[in-house]
Amino acid sequence: QVQLVESGGGLVQPGGSLRVSCAASGFTFTNYAMAWVRQGPGKGLEWVSGITSGGATSAYADSVKGRFTISRDNAENTLLLQMNSLKSEDTGVYYCVKGIYSGAYYPYDYWGQGTQVTVSS
């Protein structure tokens, strides 16, 4: 069965960096676009970033553009999100999601359990 397991969340000070990872299994990872979605405290879901199946194309929400970098290692079935210059508004649960197409960041059909990222001094 499809499994998406996030890791790497934690507490970081404003301006700091953090990298979250997603280990994928149960499907052919190289065939599907992947994305990160987050939910801040008391907020709705926010699409953060997506990457196509081969990793050639990616996109970002305006709120994270220039600070976050999405990547994937298709040999290791791993999705990554490098987060730099973190702000308090980046606080939330970060979910790894699997797209249903190779070249489109949404819609999604599977979600991970999420990893908590807290940006606070």
Side-chain angles (χ1 to χ4, degrees):
Q1 70 279 21
V2 173
Q3 286 194 314
L4 302 169
V5 180
E6 299 95 337
S7 61
L11 173 64
V12 62
Q13 292 188 341
S17 297
L18 202 62
R19 189 177 78 165
V20 292
S21 302
C22 171
S25 62
F27 65 102
T28 305
F29 185 69
T30 56
N31 286 356
Y32 297 95
M34 299 291 294
W36 290 96
V37 175
R38 69 184 180 187
Q39 185 168 29
K43 299 181 181 179
L45 293 168
E46 178 187 17
W47 180 88
V48 174
S49 181
I51 188 167
T52 52
S53 61
T57 306
S58 58
Y60 301 88
D62 287 344
S63 58
V64 306
K65 200 171 293 183
R67 300 187 297 120
F68 289 13
T69 302
I70 191 171
S71 62
R72 62 192 295 161
D73 185 339
N74 283 349
E76 298 292 332
N77 290 355
T78 300
L79 180 71
L80 301 167
L81 185 68
Q82 177 68 42
M83 302 182 289
N84 299 328
S85 303
L86 282 161
K87 306 175 181 179
S88 58
E89 51 262 44
D90 294 318
T91 294
V93 179
Y94 283 69
Y95 298 95
C96 168
V97 297
K98 171 188 167 294
I100 66 172
Y101 303 115
S102 63
Y105 311 126
Y106 28 75
Y108 332 115
D109 55 0
Y110 288 93
W111 295 62
Q113 84 289 349
T115 186
Q116 176 69 45
V117 172
T118 302
V119 184
S120 175
S121 55

